[in-house]
Amino acid sequence: MIRNILTLCLLIFTASLQAQSFTPDEQVQIRKSFYLLYVLERKSDVHNIVVKNTVFNNVARERQARISKAYSTCTDVSCLTAALLWTPEEIKETSAEFQRLSVSDKDFKALIERLKAEERYPVYSDDADTAFIRKAWQDVTEGINFICRVYLQGVPPRYPRIDSISFRPSDPAFFQLVKTNLKTVVTAGKGNAFYKQPLAAALKALTINGRDEATRYEPLYKDKNAAPFAKSRRVNWNAFRYSTILVPGAGPGAGGRSIDSMGMYRCRLAVDEYKKGVAPFIIVSGGHVHPYKTPYCEAIEMKKYITGTLGLPDSAVIIEPHARHTTTNIRNAERLMYLFNMPSTKPALIISDSFQSLAIQNMGIRFMNELGCIPYQSLERVSATENAFVPSPKAWQQNPEEPLDP
């Protein structure tokens, strides 16, 4: 039942948001990075409560004054960005107000019930409503601050070689570019929800840097995935040992190359198993990763190789074009498994080289450090180049510190 709800939500994600000022790509980024705000923007009754709330409006007024002053007086991007960030005091005050509303307002109670059902914050689903909404809201503020610090101030992200800012933060030309793009943000605090200014600033920061990786190729049931999505509605899942075969990408380290030899090797192993009938699909996973800002998407290049060189039909290969790391290869594949209505109790098979297969078996600590949870129910190594795992709804948990693939 929950899986069907999730599928339906993804199929209708292009529906208009309450605030029409957001572009379609920005709406996708909001849905993927800040699902709480996505729902608030689309749900008019709760949105109106937020817009009229005295506590939230006091925060918005103070922020408006701070940003307006910074826009007029700052001479560098770091100064300007400092005014955009959520302060610890603001986070504490707004968190407390969200908690109060979760107890006192029936529409907010319904909102939390909906968020729990849609499982965008599944790690918090067993928490009391007050804790749930506080954690979801703090994920929003943490994510907005992260984007502004990395893509405006130039603070190094976890993987700076592939995810870092596109400019030299001290460059005067960058400061002027930022000021020009944030001009509309300065007035966004008037008559809008209290989170509109920092949200708009974060989205502008990603646009300025050309970091639209999270919004490319959406929705994932269309275009290059249209044929396998249609096929998934006709599959007799009982005929297969595994629901799908996952192939993690291996991006070439040098520019000008579209696919790495290791990626091709992994594809060949996967095709051999596919031809044995162990699964009805292959998911090839990997985004625009190596080298920095590469024009090539690992998943797309692997699908070209599998269908063009190795001869599998288009309907057999699903692209997952966003993952930037081995952890998200697995997490994102699980999200596609739910989207494609694959049985959640049937395991999936990961096929890779022996080195990565061993690393996957011992990746629990890395999952916790980078994603904050273990996004599968179980995982075991079944051969030198294969791991099997059972998906978990925790794969839907959004990661506020990965805006390029949240």
Side-chain angles (χ1 to χ4, degrees), residues 63-72 80 83-84 186 197:
R63 176 186 294 278
Q64 175 68 51
R66 184 172 77 231
I67 292 177
S68 296
K69 180 180 178 181
Y71 193 81
S72 300
L80 186 56
L84 297 167
V186 175
Q197 271 185 312

Side-chain angles (χ1 to χ4, degrees), residues 244-246 248 330 348-352 360 379 385-389:
T244 189
I245 298 168
L246 167 62
I330 297 171
L349 186 67
I350 307 170
I351 293 184
S352 185
I360 288 171
L379 185 148
T385 57
E386 298 173 332
N387 303 78
F389 69 94

Side-chain angles (χ1 to χ4, degrees), residues 86-98:
W86 290 99
T87 68
E89 293 75 20
E90 288 172 343
I91 296 171
K92 182 179 180 180
E93 186 176 2
T94 52
S95 294
E97 185 62 9
F98 271 118

Side-chain angles (χ1 to χ4, degrees), residues 161-162 211 213 216-217 251-259 286-298 301 324:
R161 290 183 61 185
I162 57 173
R211 305 311 310 232
E213 285 91 338
R216 298 174 191 173
Y217 311 108
R257 295 173 56 196
S258 62
I259 189 169
H288 295 259
V289 188
H290 298 284
Y292 179 77
K293 284 196 170 182
T294 175
Y296 297 108
C297 174
E298 293 174 4
E301 298 307 317
R324 307 182 69 74

Side-chain angles (χ1 to χ4, degrees), residues 127-290:
D127 291 343
D129 287 357
T130 52
F132 177 91
I133 196 66
R134 172 179 57 81
K135 292 177 182 179
W137 170 243
Q138 289 177 352
D139 276 359
V140 168
T141 57
E142 180 183 342
I144 289 174
N145 282 358
F146 180 88
I147 291 172
C148 291
R149 288 188 176 115
V150 172
Y151 295 108
L152 294 177
Q153 290 182 323
V155 174
R158 180 179 283 114
Y159 294 99
R161 290 183 61 185
I162 57 173
D163 296 337
S164 59
I165 192 171
S166 305
F167 302 90
R168 187 162 50 89
S170 59
D171 189 340
F174 178 53
F175 176 57
Q176 291 303 318
L177 177 64
V178 171
K179 282 201 73 173
T180 299
N181 278 271
L182 292 186
K183 189 173 182 179
T184 57
V185 174
V186 175
T187 59
K190 299 177 181 178
N192 288 301
F194 75 105
Y195 53 76
K196 177 73 175 290
Q197 271 185 312
L199 173 62
L203 296 174
K204 289 288 186 184
L206 292 173
T207 299
I208 291 168
N209 283 269
R211 305 311 310 232
D212 64 340
E213 285 91 338
T215 67
R216 298 174 191 173
Y217 311 108
E218 292 282 2
L220 291 183
Y221 58 87
K222 288 187 174 182
D223 194 23
K224 293 177 174 58
N225 280 342
F229 187 73
K231 173 185 172 182
S232 70
R233 270 44 192 162
R234 306 187 300 269
V235 170
N236 175 13
W237 298 102
N238 292 328
F240 300 94
R241 181 179 179 185
Y242 298 104
S243 58
T244 189
I245 298 168
L246 167 62
V247 183
R257 295 173 56 196
S258 62
I259 189 169
D260 187 78
S261 58
M262 181 59 74
M264 291 188 285
Y265 169 71
R266 295 173 184 175
C267 288
R268 291 194 296 270
L269 292 179
V271 168
D272 287 344
E273 290 303 304
Y274 175 87
K275 290 180 176 179
K276 294 176 184 177
V278 302
F281 295 105
I282 294 175
I283 296 177
V284 284
S285 173
H288 295 259
V289 188
H290 298 284

Side-chain angles (χ1 to χ4, degrees), residues 285 320 323-333 367 371 405:
S285 173
E320 186 294 295
R324 307 182 69 74
H325 315 290
T326 306
T327 52
T328 47
N329 286 139
I330 297 171
R331 181 202 67 183
N332 292 3
F367 273 111
L371 303 183
D405 180 28

